[in-house]
Amino acid sequence: MRILGIDPGLRNLGWGVIEAQGSRLSHVANGILHSEGSDLARRLLSLHEQLTDVLHRYAPETAAVEHTFVNKDGAGTLKLGQARAIALLVPAQFGIAVGEYAPNAVKKTVVGVGHAQKGQIDHMVRMQLPGADIAGPDAADALAVAICHAYQGAAATRLDQAVRRASA
């Protein structure tokens, strides 16, 4: 199963694509999308167009997006939420199911502890996807989201699909 992981951000949106065959994972591609434009609408459109291109190029079968949490800056949180909406919308436009995971769940799945640091995430992603040339911390986080989905969500998706086929 080909999985797209997304680490949403308004300036930098990380993405990573992996293949999961049973418990075996392999790296396909990763990168960071940089929003362009002077106003919010143009920046969101830029992310939408770039993420659409990623889905066209790599044709994932499922996707996963990291949850965001409210921080002290309410306006910043709202803008991040809008970028996250793009991360949810684009896969949905392709008819792809999207899993959502809290940052602590991603860290616990990939590193083993829910409060892991960026460096620990990067290290464990590289351990699980040997030979991957990771574009940066946002891409490493996106690959971690994809890995989390491979272990948690993709199995549930396969079970759901099997139940639907059996019921048809």
Side-chain angles (χ1 to χ4, degrees):
M1 177 172 289
R2 188 167 277 201
I3 304 167
L4 170 66
I6 302 172
D7 179 36
L10 184 56
R11 286 195 179 107
N12 301 311
L13 186 145
W15 62 273
V17 180
I18 64 171
E19 286 278 345
Q21 297 174 342
S23 62
R24 186 170 174 261
L25 303 178
S26 59
H27 175 262
V28 175
N30 72 84
I32 301 171
L33 307 179
H34 305 285
S35 64
E36 301 167 359
S38 56
D39 60 25
L40 180 61
R42 292 184 194 279
R43 292 172 71 189
L44 292 171
L45 177 61
S46 161
L47 290 175
H48 183 279
E49 291 169 343
Q50 292 176 68
L51 190 55
T52 297
D53 183 55
V54 169
L55 271 90
H56 277 298
R57 276 189 284 156
Y58 298 104
E61 298 166 68
T62 187
V65 177
E66 189 172 70
H67 279 293
T68 55
F69 291 97
V70 176
N71 56 31
K72 294 176 186 175
D73 176 17
T77 300
L78 286 172
K79 288 178 183 176
L80 178 57
Q82 291 165 330
R84 187 170 178 280
I86 297 298
L88 293 166
L89 172 66
V90 173
Q93 288 178 316
F94 281 75
I96 297 170
V98 182
E100 299 178 69
Y101 299 94
N104 285 352
V106 173
K107 292 172 184 178
K108 187 162 181 94
T109 300
V110 175
V111 180
V113 292
H115 296 285
Q117 302 297 316
K118 289 264 188 199
Q120 292 172 299
I121 295 165
D122 183 87
H123 175 76
M124 291 307 293
V125 167
R126 289 176 192 278
M127 294 288 292
Q128 294 184 49
L129 303 172
D133 183 16
I134 300 174
D138 297 311
D141 287 351
L143 287 166
V145 172
I147 291 168
C148 178
H149 191 61
Y151 290 132
Q152 293 186 20
T157 300
R158 285 192 298 272
L159 177 62
D160 185 49
Q161 290 170 348
V163 168
R164 276 193 239 143
R165 279 193 306 270
S167 300

